[in-house]
Amino acid sequence: MDPRPIGVFDSGLGGLTCVKRLMDVMPGEDIIYLGDTGRVPYGGKSRETILKYARQDIAFLRSFDIKAVVAACGTVSTNGLEEIAGDYPIPVFGVADAAAQAAARATRNGKIGLIGTTASIRSRAYDEKILRARPGAEIFKKACPLFVPLVEEGRIGRDDEVLRLVAEGYLRELRDTGIDTLILGCTHYPLIAGTVGEVMGPGVTLIDTGAETAERLRRELAKTGALAARARGGYTYYVTDSAEDFGRSAALFLGTHMEGDVHRVTLEERV
Ligand code: DGL
């Protein structure tokens, strides 16, 4: 049994979709969340910058006595997280591993789609992970950079015409490839799964990276006897820009009223 909190970070609010899944599968865990809202989005930045930010985010979370880190960010998870994970004495999880394995299991015809930020699509991280789990799979990718700002603006409804137009534009070519599985490779995307699912059609299984990662983390913590024993955990949120209105936006991502405190912090830039 390990009562220490789990540290979770993302460039902004998207990682809260993963937090929601963590809360669902491990309600007894304390969670400390960092949203680097002052620097979001990471998805158009270079690999060096993304890794520098990831190090600073992890250093902040480690200023608390945490037992594991989850990079609830598709962009960080596909841009070198594994290279730096070994630098820390606690386990560091990304969201790409569990999602790639879930997609490899879900596909029937071996054609898997991936949507994500520009940096996630540019990296070959998913290709390698999927091919390891399912040799011979065909992978079709599409960067969808407008999805993150649309989600952050709350344009997530199935009846939102702008979102639908953008989704049609991005997804048409993926639909035409005949994929039967689509990885929502950015933690913002579960909020627009309704529209994405409608555009792709009912024959395409959507993979939620946060959901897969939460289940994987639960299994790993259980294996090492590191789950917390309490019935209900506590939550604390940190952001690098204004904390005002965070509660309202967070509720959207968490799918429920936000419980816990939110604080504004400045990250140590020299890390
Ligand atoms: N939530 C981040 C991800 O999963 C995307 C947002 C960003 O571009 O910073 O990739």
Side-chain angles (χ1 to χ4, degrees):
M1 193 212 82
D2 188 340
R4 293 179 298 165
I6 298 167
V8 183
F9 73 93
D10 179 38
S11 55
L13 299 172
L16 293 173
T17 61
C18 180
V19 168
K20 171 182 159 58
R21 301 300 191 151
L22 291 167
M23 290 170 169
D24 288 346
V25 300
M26 292 180 284
E29 297 296 333
D30 285 348
I31 296 175
I32 298 176
Y33 182 81
L34 170 65
D36 192 6
T37 49
R39 300 190 295 197
V40 67
Y42 286 5
K45 302 204 162 60
S46 69
R47 185 181 162 94
E48 298 75 59
T49 301
I50 294 165
L51 270 186
K52 181 174 78 180
Y53 288 176
R55 279 202 186 89
Q56 293 166 1
D57 296 337
I58 296 172
F60 172 76
L61 288 171
R62 289 201 57 230
S63 66
F64 305 92
D65 185 18
I66 54 173
K67 62 182 168 192
V69 176
V70 180
C73 176
T75 305
V76 169
S77 304
T78 52
N79 279 274
L81 182 70
E82 282 156 8
E83 283 163 34
I84 62 168
D87 298 346
Y88 304 99
I90 53 172
V92 176
F93 294 87
V95 290
D97 269 322
Q101 280 162 21
R105 276 195 309 273
T107 186
R108 297 168 306 280
N109 67 7
K111 292 186 179 188
I112 297 171
L114 170 68
I115 54 175
T117 64
T118 304
S120 292
I121 298 303
R122 186 183 58 210
S123 101
R124 290 201 32 92
Y126 265 106
D127 307 58
E128 285 159 18
K129 292 177 197 304
I130 292 170
L131 288 171
R132 220 176 296 138
R134 170 113 187 201
E138 285 181 88
I139 300 148
F140 301 88
K141 304 191 281 188
K142 180 75 185 170
C144 304
L146 288 176
F147 279 164
V148 167
L150 282 171
V151 171
E152 296 260 335
E153 286 295 322
R155 308 210 58 154
I156 58 174
R158 281 185 192 205
D159 55 352
D160 190 295
E161 288 172 13
V162 176
L163 171 63
R164 181 157 297 262
L165 201 68
V166 172
E168 286 277 357
Y170 280 146
L171 302 175
R172 195 174 304 124
E173 64 187 73
L174 277 183
R175 198 174 47 200
D176 293 345
T177 60
I179 58 168
D180 68 0
T181 304
L182 177 63
I183 301 173
L184 305 178
C186 168
T187 49
H188 281 69
Y189 297 175
L191 288 179
I192 53 169
T195 298
V196 171
E198 277 176 16
V199 172
M200 293 307 295
V204 177
T205 305
L206 303 184
I207 304 290
D208 177 331
T209 61
E212 301 301 331
T213 303
E215 188 44 45
R216 175 171 174 224
L217 182 59
R218 191 196 61 76
R219 279 198 309 271
E220 293 295 328
L221 293 179
K223 220 189 311 179
T224 53
L227 287 167
R230 67 181 85 78
R232 230 174 114 50
Y235 311 114
T236 316
Y237 301 88
Y238 294 89
V239 286
T240 57
D241 200 350
S242 170
E244 227 176 282
D245 288 337
F246 177 83
R248 213 177 24 206
S249 319
L252 197 70
F253 283 79
L254 292 168
T256 177
H257 169 74
M258 188 200 91
E259 283 174 37
D261 297 332
V262 48
H263 309 275
R264 181 175 181 161
V265 288
T266 303
L267 298 181
E268 174 60 72
E269 303 248 334
R270 280 167 304 160
V271 177

